[in-house]
Amino acid sequence: METPLRVRFAPSPTGYLHVGGARTALFNWLFARRRAGTFLLRIEDTDRQRSTEAHTGVILDGLTWLGLDWDEEIVFQGARLARHQVLADRLVADGAAYLEEGAVRLRMPDAELAWDDAVYERISFQGRDIKDWVILRSDRTPTYNFSVVCDDLDMRITHVMRGEDHISNTPKQIAVYRALGAAPPVFVHLPMLNGPDGKKLSKRHGATAVGEYRTMGFLPDAMRNFLALLGWNPGDDRELYFDLADLVAAFSLERIQRTSAVFDMTKLEWMNGQYLNQGAPADLLPLITPHLQTLGLDAAAFPDERVIRSIETIRGRSRTTVELAQRVATRLDRAHLERDPKAQKAVAQDVEGFRRALAAAQDRLGGLRDNDWSADRLEAELRDLAAAVGMGVGKVMQPIRIALTGTTVSEPVNLLLWAVGRDESLARLFAAQQWTGADTP
């Protein structure tokens, strides 16, 4: 009978949940779900000076935000001190370890310490090349490589999946397994995450904590999809997994790559934009509401229809919920309209043409009633207007775009007018006729 698969994620609460750790947790979680196994969480809080409850809370919040649930009660390593001491003392009694100045050292065997890594295949070290090392300090606290093995044994971990920077720890841990008379688990070492410059991902490349990406307006589904493709290849050209079940079904250890993965912020932004454009626009409202509040806007103060229209028309051009909220705010409230340099230059180059187009648009569109204010009707009216005044369609559309948004780039102008609404659009067209390109709206 096959042994039930059990994996774990074991962060140290001495800092925040790094994206590299989040990727490790995700791979373990996907593997467990793919194989109907068990995903466990262990908090390695033996560093009493640096471990904090606050950091533990941030780690748990980050995992929960990513949708990674664990199957059993969380194990806190610091609460297992007595168990670590018992096993260390047993090794001393068996002659596999010895006392030295109050500490306990493991006797390294004069033998090969090798394993068949699920990613890097056969890896071998020689025990004689590794000095006897402390497993229990003189204050009777365990060291990392010893406590990890003790915990993994008691938690019945079958596969240890972690970053490749742990490869150097593995021979010491295999020696502990042997000394305790236990078989080691399957080791799965994951490629490191690098920045675009090819160097190990760090703060110099930007945000590295999962919580920062949440604050920056990234969606958990998009972040999870992005992390899954860092060091894992599904075997086809697919990059987007809007259905989590599809991602679980596609995951396998065999397709984990050996080469370091590049954390490409541009790709993450693109992927997040794809997720923003999925589903109903109304589903995005609660996600941007906090950002709108930061901008001083209460979405509830505006008609629901107008808010949802704004989300619907501009979400395809937004990469984050923060960016989406900023653009929605511009469409809801004139106070958030600020002309960018390109818009100012465009107005200054032809002030009279700008004003003429806006006056003609205001006159033409002002004749429409509320129930005529639809995207299709607006497009037809604008094209007819351009022909009537002898101006190119772009010469009519761009001034309207600038008047309504303060920028030279937006959704199609008919959709923009539809989203902003009749009365507010006409008011902005009137106000913008006073602009010269040098002043502010």
Side-chain angles (χ1 to χ4, degrees), residues 23 27 191 193 225-232 257 261-264:
R23 194 271 306 261
F27 278 28
L193 297 186
N225 191 156
F226 175 74
L227 290 174
L229 296 175
L230 293 180
W232 171 73
Q257 300 170 312
V262 176
F263 193 99
D264 185 345

Side-chain angles (χ1 to χ4, degrees), residues 362-396:
Q362 184 184 8
D363 182 63
R364 180 78 175 223
L365 300 181
L368 296 179
R369 296 171 298 182
D370 286 337
N371 57 358
D372 294 326
W373 199 267
S374 66
D376 290 342
R377 179 66 181 274
L378 287 165
E379 181 177 15
E381 292 289 340
L382 290 172
R383 292 191 179 280
D384 289 347
L385 170 62
V389 297
M391 300 176 68
V393 174
K395 292 291 186 178
V396 173

Side-chain angles (χ1 to χ4, degrees), residues 109-158:
D110 185 9
E112 182 185 36
L113 298 170
W115 71 97
D116 292 318
D117 196 273
V119 175
Y120 293 93
E121 300 180 345
R122 187 73 172 176
I123 300 178
S124 176
F125 291 81
Q126 293 297 322
R128 70 176 70 93
D129 296 330
I130 304 175
K131 295 181 179 179
D132 294 352
W133 51 281
V134 173
I135 60 174
L136 208 64
R137 302 180 184 91
S138 57
D139 64 358
R140 300 282 290 170
T141 59
T143 56
Y144 169 77
N145 282 312
F146 181 66
S147 58
V148 163
V149 173
C150 296
D151 295 342
D152 284 345
L153 277 173
D154 287 348
M155 294 170 69
R156 307 189 309 282
I157 300 301
T158 61

Side-chain angles (χ1 to χ4, degrees), residues 390-409:
M391 300 176 68
V393 174
K395 292 291 186 178
V396 173
M397 299 289 194
Q398 192 69 322
I400 297 174
R401 177 180 286 113
I402 293 173
L404 266 61
T405 70
T407 67
T408 58
V409 179

Side-chain angles (χ1 to χ4, degrees), residues 196-243:
D197 59 1
K199 297 181 180 179
K200 184 179 178 181
L201 188 67
S202 66
K203 289 185 177 181
R204 69 174 177 274
H205 297 112
T208 58
V210 169
E212 291 181 74
Y213 289 94
R214 181 180 185 178
T215 302
M216 290 161 61
F218 289 91
L219 302 177
D221 290 350
M223 192 70 184
R224 187 174 56 222
N225 191 156
F226 175 74
L227 290 174
L229 296 175
L230 293 180
W232 171 73
N233 186 338
D236 53 32
D237 294 331
R238 184 170 183 179
E239 291 187 298
L240 298 172
Y241 288 88
F242 297 117
D243 188 333

Side-chain angles (χ1 to χ4, degrees), residues 97-320:
Y98 58 92
L99 292 171
E100 182 181 86
E101 296 182 359
V104 177
R105 287 184 179 273
L106 183 75
R107 297 184 192 277
M108 289 300 292
D110 185 9
E112 182 185 36
L113 298 170
W115 71 97
D116 292 318
D117 196 273
V119 175
Y120 293 93
E121 300 180 345
R122 187 73 172 176
I123 300 178
S124 176
F125 291 81
Q126 293 297 322
R128 70 176 70 93
D129 296 330
I130 304 175
K131 295 181 179 179
D132 294 352
W133 51 281
V134 173
I135 60 174
L136 208 64
R137 302 180 184 91
S138 57
D139 64 358
R140 300 282 290 170
T141 59
T143 56
Y144 169 77
N145 282 312
F146 181 66
S147 58
V148 163
V149 173
C150 296
D151 295 342
D152 284 345
L153 277 173
D154 287 348
M155 294 170 69
R156 307 189 309 282
I157 300 301
T158 61
H159 294 69
V160 171
M161 193 183 308
R162 58 195 181 185
E164 67 173 324
D165 53 328
H166 282 282
I167 286 178
S168 60
N169 290 324
T170 308
K172 290 184 177 182
Q173 294 173 13
I174 289 177
V176 176
Y177 280 105
R178 289 185 183 179
L180 292 172
V186 175
F187 289 103
V188 187
H189 288 98
L190 307 176
M192 298 300 292
L193 297 186
N194 289 341
D197 59 1
K199 297 181 180 179
K200 184 179 178 181
L201 188 67
S202 66
K203 289 185 177 181
R204 69 174 177 274
H205 297 112
T208 58
V210 169
E212 291 181 74
Y213 289 94
R214 181 180 185 178
T215 302
M216 290 161 61
F218 289 91
L219 302 177
D221 290 350
M223 192 70 184
R224 187 174 56 222
N225 191 156
F226 175 74
L227 290 174
L229 296 175
L230 293 180
W232 171 73
N233 186 338
D236 53 32
D237 294 331
R238 184 170 183 179
E239 291 187 298
L240 298 172
Y241 288 88
F242 297 117
D243 188 333
L244 179 58
D246 289 345
L247 181 58
V248 171
F251 188 81
S252 68
L253 298 184
E254 291 74 22
R255 293 198 172 277
I256 295 176
Q257 300 170 312
R258 297 184 184 183
T259 55
S260 297
V262 176
F263 193 99
D264 185 345
M265 190 69 175
T266 300
K267 184 173 182 179
L268 173 58
E269 291 174 346
W270 168 81
M271 187 171 287
N272 201 64
Q274 298 301 305
Y275 272 82
L276 282 175
N277 215 28
Q278 293 294 310
D283 294 339
L284 295 174
L285 179 55
L287 299 179
I288 69 169
T289 295
H291 303 310
L292 289 174
Q293 291 173 341
T294 299
L295 294 170
L297 280 182
D298 179 8
F302 299 88
D304 288 347
E305 182 182 52
R306 189 173 165 207
V307 178
I308 299 304
R309 281 183 181 180
S310 297
I311 294 173
E312 182 178 353
T313 60
I314 200 58
R315 65 173 176 167
R317 294 178 175 269
S318 302
R319 297 168 299 175
T320 67

